[in-house]
Amino acid sequence: MSDTIFSKIIAGEIPCHKVYEDDQVLAFLDIHPISEGHTLIIPKEAAATIDALSDEASAAIGKALPRIARAVMQVSGCEHYNILQNNGVPAHQAVFHVHFHIIPKHADGSGLGIGWKSRDFDHGKGAEMARAMAAAIGG
Ligand code: 5GP
């Protein structure tokens, strides 16, 4: 699992256009951008999906994301952007090392296209589900 293309980028075995690096986080430009400035932010910890990521690595990513977003905005000139984080093949994940996309939405329309089909909300089921999730989180 640690043998992904991103582990090789972290190890310096494969080059990247580096944007940011600290002890726990690396950010670099996506090699197949969907808009100018499309940037990837990854923890150095080799977890495949975010549910498997440690609290420490999650905190480091959370701290870095807004700083990198500001740099993406400043340099790409975008005012708007999406942050995307895919987990699992059906959810469009191709590289099994946690990563966040920062995707500028430019005036020419380039950026992330989202098909968002909302459904009816069942308050009974919703309350049950929220209680079960809260219990699963615990603490
Ligand atoms: P996913 O669909 O897994 O969320 O996205 C993986 C992303 O990694 C894709 O946008 C793809 O372009 C990017 N990517 C894959 N291989 C490389 C690589 O070798 N270098 C860089 N910079 N990006 C990559």
Side-chain angles (χ1 to χ4, degrees):
M1 186 211 58
S2 61
D3 196 26
T4 66
I5 195 102
F6 291 172
S7 296
K8 291 187 172 72
I9 288 175
I10 291 167
E13 294 164 16
I14 290 178
C16 71
H17 293 285
K18 192 194 295 183
V19 169
Y20 175 80
E21 183 169 20
D22 64 31
D23 287 352
Q24 297 187 73
V25 175
L26 180 67
F28 49 94
L29 297 183
D30 195 298
I31 203 74
H32 299 298
I34 61 171
S35 64
E36 198 171 286
H38 183 165
T39 300
L40 298 172
I41 298 94
I42 67 174
K44 290 186 177 177
E45 183 177 296
T49 53
I50 199 160
D51 49 281
L53 197 62
S54 71
D55 285 356
E56 198 191 353
S58 305
I61 284 275
K63 189 174 170 193
L65 269 170
R67 296 172 63 189
I68 298 164
R70 286 191 287 274
V72 170
M73 292 177 78
Q74 191 179 317
V75 174
S76 78
C78 74
E79 284 182 58
H80 314 287
Y81 58 94
N82 293 95
I83 293 184
L84 177 69
Q85 202 278 312
N86 299 325
N87 298 279
V89 170
H92 211 280
Q93 184 177 13
V95 179
F96 289 87
H97 181 122
V98 171
H99 52 281
F100 289 75
H101 299 253
I102 298 181
I103 306 171
K105 191 77 181 171
H106 290 298
D108 65 2
S110 62
L112 186 66
I114 301 179
W116 191 288
K117 293 182 189 145
S118 63
R119 303 159 63 131
D120 290 341
F121 186 76
D122 179 325
H123 285 276
K125 274 190 190 164
E128 207 176 292
M129 189 175 273
R131 267 196 302 273
M133 287 178 183
I137 294 166

